[in-house]
Amino acid sequence: MSGTLVLCGAPIGDVRDVSPRLGEILATADVVAAEDTRRVLRLAAGLGVTISGRIVSCYDAVEGARAAQLTEHLRRGETVALVTDAGMPAVSDPGFRVVAAAAAAGMTVTVVPGPSAVTAALAVSGLPSDRWTFEGFLPRRPAERRARLRELHAESRTMVFLDSPHRLEAGLRDLVAVFGPERAAVLCRELTKTHQEIVRGDLARLLAWATDGRVIRGEFTLVLGGAPRRPPPTVITASPADAASPADAGTVADAGTVADAGTVGEGRGESVRAEVLAADVARRAATGMSRKEARRVVAAEYGLSRNDVYAAELAARPGRRPAPPDS
């Protein structure tokens, strides 16, 4: 007999935003695992229901141990409701370990969808949302935080971060230093609550807002515009010696030497040599990847088409015709 683990979306501010099913689950579940047991009781009271099952705490420090205990309840055929303080469990909140343990044991895992500060902020930001990435909370230590941001410098998708009031100013200063003051950004505070505030503009404006003497309160969701997309690089098919000649000097844009043109991924130019692409395909194929897949990966990395990569292979190895691009 298998029980059911129900992930319950809790309100991020206004209790009226939750699914009517949430009250039903909290009232009937055999076990309610809550990030904060006091808050879940207040939530139940706000929904007009009484929790009849056993209430256990499930916050970060105890989640690992709780995962095993809750899985045993599921093995006995019980219904376990998992609820965090706000939003969806496991999304920058406890829950991942519980879900992983239940799934590994073959238990049924389902969800009562609910509000999420992440998607709410993304929707109201007005920034591109067709492709985006969730980065959660940045590291607390300044050096680690800046290192993480440098890793994201070239990210072209819209990014969503969470931040707390006491770290907001330092985080915004690091964002300005890494991404520049003019990068588009939207800061959302206390979404759906009485004092909801949405600050739009660029990172410079957000930093000015955070440092104008106001008292910083509430939880924050920051939506950051992605890096501008670069045009595809020019593939240089001439030999390095020929490409370095004055006649070809104009084909390497913003690169001091032809050697610089081989490292587009590091942002040091807008061109790449055919032999660099061919060698990259060969290196990946040597690890067991099919040439078709290797070309696809290399093409995506350099912003080229697979046909461009195939043509580069032909140019780099004129005496040996590689397999067709769809092979």
Side-chain angles (χ1 to χ4, degrees):
M1 180 169 56
S2 171
T4 301
L5 173 65
V6 186
L7 309 180
C8 299
I12 59 176
D14 195 323
V15 72
R16 296 170 298 177
D17 293 335
V18 300
S19 165
R21 290 176 55 212
L22 177 60
E24 298 174 13
I25 293 296
L26 291 179
T28 61
D30 299 296
V31 179
V32 175
E35 183 178 8
D36 186 319
T37 56
R38 294 165 299 181
R39 285 200 182 190
V40 77
L41 288 170
R42 289 199 296 269
L43 173 59
L47 295 173
V49 300
T50 300
I51 297 176
S52 59
R54 178 185 176 190
I55 302 175
V56 298
S57 60
C58 188
Y59 51 93
D60 284 327
V62 302
E63 185 188 352
R66 283 285 187 266
Q69 296 170 10
L70 295 174
T71 300
E72 288 306 310
H73 284 285
L74 295 171
R75 291 185 193 277
R76 293 197 288 267
E78 298 178 1
T79 297
V80 176
L82 178 63
V83 59
T84 53
D85 293 347
M88 290 301 303
V91 181
S92 283
D93 268 336
F96 164 74
R97 296 177 183 85
V98 176
V99 175
M107 302 293 107
T108 300
V109 180
T110 188
V111 62
V112 176
S116 169
V118 176
T119 52
L122 181 67
V124 303
S125 72
L127 293 174
S129 57
D130 54 333
R131 298 180 68 230
W132 56 280
T133 174
F134 176 55
E135 300 299 331
F137 287 95
L138 289 168
R140 294 176 181 273
R141 296 181 179 178
E144 294 176 4
R145 183 169 60 244
R146 289 190 288 269
R148 174 76 59 80
L149 291 175
R150 284 193 293 269
E151 293 175 358
L152 298 171
H153 181 267
E155 175 59 67
S156 61
R157 294 170 293 183
T158 297
M159 293 163 274
V160 183
F161 300 88
L162 301 178
D163 215 338
S164 55
H166 63 281
R167 288 191 287 165
L168 180 66
E169 180 181 340
L172 286 172
R173 291 189 184 280
D174 286 341
L175 283 159
V176 169
V178 174
F179 295 100
E182 297 180 353
R183 179 68 70 91
V186 177
L187 187 65
C188 302
R189 183 179 80 90
E190 300 285 86
L191 285 172
T192 79
K193 298 180 182 178
T194 303
H195 301 292
Q196 171 180 295
E197 191 168 4
I198 299 173
V199 186
R200 304 177 187 274
D202 54 25
L203 286 173
R205 179 169 184 238
L206 267 54
L207 180 58
W209 176 89
T211 56
D212 66 359
R214 71 181 63 238
V215 177
I216 303 295
R217 292 193 178 97
E219 298 300 319
F220 294 87
T221 307
L222 172 69
V223 186
L224 182 69
R229 293 184 181 274
R230 287 184 162 215
T234 299
V235 179
I236 301 174
T237 57
S239 67
D242 291 338
S245 67
D248 291 325
T251 63
V252 184
D254 299 326
T257 67
V258 174
D260 291 333
T263 51
V264 174
E266 296 178 16
R268 290 191 289 175
E270 287 113 16
S271 57
V272 60
R273 293 198 305 269
E275 60 266 27
V276 171
L277 297 173
D280 206 350
V281 172
R283 177 177 60 81
R284 295 173 190 276
T287 65
M289 185 181 293
S290 70
R291 294 198 75 87
K292 177 180 178 181
E293 180 65 11
R295 289 182 186 119
R296 187 192 67 77
V297 172
V298 172
E301 181 176 335
Y302 286 87
L304 298 165
S305 70
R306 268 198 298 147
N307 284 338
D308 289 333
V309 176
Y310 176 64
E313 290 182 275
L314 287 176
R317 298 181 289 175
R320 294 172 55 196
R321 182 179 180 84
D326 291 328
S327 63

